[in-house]
Amino acid sequence: MSDDAPDPAFDALLADPRMALRRPPPHVSLTGLRRAANAFQASAPKPFIASTVDHVVPGPGGPIPVRVYRPTLDRTAAILFCHGGGFIFGNLDTHDSICRTLAYASGRTVVAVDYRLAPEHHFPAALDDAQAALEWLRAEARLLDLYSDRIAVAGDSAGGHIALGLALRCRDEGVPLDHIGLIYPLLDPASDSASAVQFAQGYMLTASFLEWAWDAYRGDGGADPSFDLTRADLQRLPATTIVTAQFDPLRDEGEALARRLGDAEVDVALRRYPGMIHGFAGLPQLTPVANEAIAFAAARIAASQIGGPKISAS
């Protein structure tokens, strides 16, 4: 594997122009785009898990579908998971593989949230839905046979933005969390980091898609620190784990977040995966590094406890 090119496992994917995520022309149907994008992501293999149960929970904009993944039938801690997709794509099925792997690797029950999507629903609709799902999870923890005092939040890409925004709300409202897990998070609406410029084309996630995603989700919320997380106060957040990919436009904003968290004296671990592209953790059929990255985050989450000692980053 060359240091200046993505892993050859992605050669066919990157060579297919249909797989590039970009802003669509006005005449293209959003329904059709979602169908195609979601079908590709949902094609990942589905590892065994002890049980999955779908629920519908009350939310500020109507019922919110959630899916509960249990790695064991014993009582466990929990992870609330927010899927990626640029705030525009994604559902419970697109991230079924990641959630199964995360539950198995962490030993925690994963609760995935099917939040409202943009552009139909602007900021903070997705964040509000995630918060409603967390409130339901905490209220129903005993019936779900979960430890209500051991809950983490996690997400990939746009889901990382939602997870971090939710953690900030929880901190401000005195709601305890024991970890934040962020897989190549989407954080900076400016999208002007060195990696965003360097990998703007040719690495599946494009600059035009990022511009579209931020425009679709922004609404009137551009001045809110929960929207532009590069301006958020990161003090007193729980232990955080961040995964980045070498050839990802979002690489530098995730790594900048890790530095800011360290400056705020948050227990943070960062791991960059060489040769990887954005979305690799959802592609175990192409690379074993997908499950390695999830296992890294899962191990840190599994070891977390509220108010506990610093966690090893190894």
Side-chain angles (χ1 to χ4, degrees), residues 80-232:
L80 186 81
F81 184 84
C82 303
H83 67 76
F87 310 110
I88 297 167
F89 302 144
N91 55 36
L92 295 179
D93 293 332
T94 60
H95 286 64
D96 189 72
S97 178
I98 285 182
C99 289
R100 288 168 177 262
T101 303
L102 181 59
Y104 180 81
S106 67
R108 291 192 176 204
T109 295
V110 171
V111 179
V113 185
D114 195 7
Y115 55 81
R116 288 172 289 169
L117 297 174
E120 297 92 334
H121 304 284
H122 299 304
F123 174 88
L127 179 57
D128 290 344
D129 285 358
Q131 184 172 23
L134 178 62
E135 291 170 354
W136 170 83
L137 172 58
R138 289 174 56 81
E140 300 296 323
R142 183 179 296 276
L143 290 176
L144 294 169
D145 205 17
L146 301 173
Y147 293 111
S148 62
D149 60 348
R150 295 194 62 203
I151 299 175
V153 295
D156 71 308
S157 194
H161 183 279
I162 297 164
L164 180 56
L166 178 58
L168 291 165
R169 279 191 179 181
C170 287
R171 177 203 61 192
D172 294 345
E173 296 174 9
V175 177
L177 297 172
D178 66 5
H179 208 96
I180 307 169
L182 305 175
I183 302 173
Y184 33 75
L186 175 63
L187 303 168
D188 185 359
S191 297
D192 59 0
S193 70
S195 64
V197 174
Q198 183 178 4
F199 306 125
Q201 299 289 335
Y203 299 90
M204 194 164 74
L205 180 61
T206 70
S208 72
F209 181 85
L210 291 172
E211 181 183 38
W212 180 43
W214 286 117
D215 287 348
Y217 189 47
R218 186 184 315 272
D220 298 324
D224 191 308
S226 296
F227 182 80
D228 182 353
L229 296 178
T230 66
R231 299 187 292 173

Side-chain angles (χ1 to χ4, degrees), residues 228-284:
D228 182 353
L229 296 178
T230 66
R231 299 187 292 173
D233 173 11
L234 303 178
Q235 300 288 329
R236 299 179 291 106
L237 286 175
T240 302
T241 301
I242 302 173
V243 165
T244 62
Q246 181 184 1
F247 295 95
D248 183 356
L250 306 187
R251 183 194 70 197
D252 289 354
E253 57 201 72
E255 295 178 3
L257 175 67
R259 291 191 294 273
R260 292 176 59 220
L261 286 165
D263 291 343
E265 300 186 347
V266 173
D267 173 15
V268 60
L270 166 71
R271 185 168 292 180
R272 178 197 290 188
Y273 285 83
M276 296 296 106
I277 63 172
H278 188 78
F280 80 91
L283 299 171

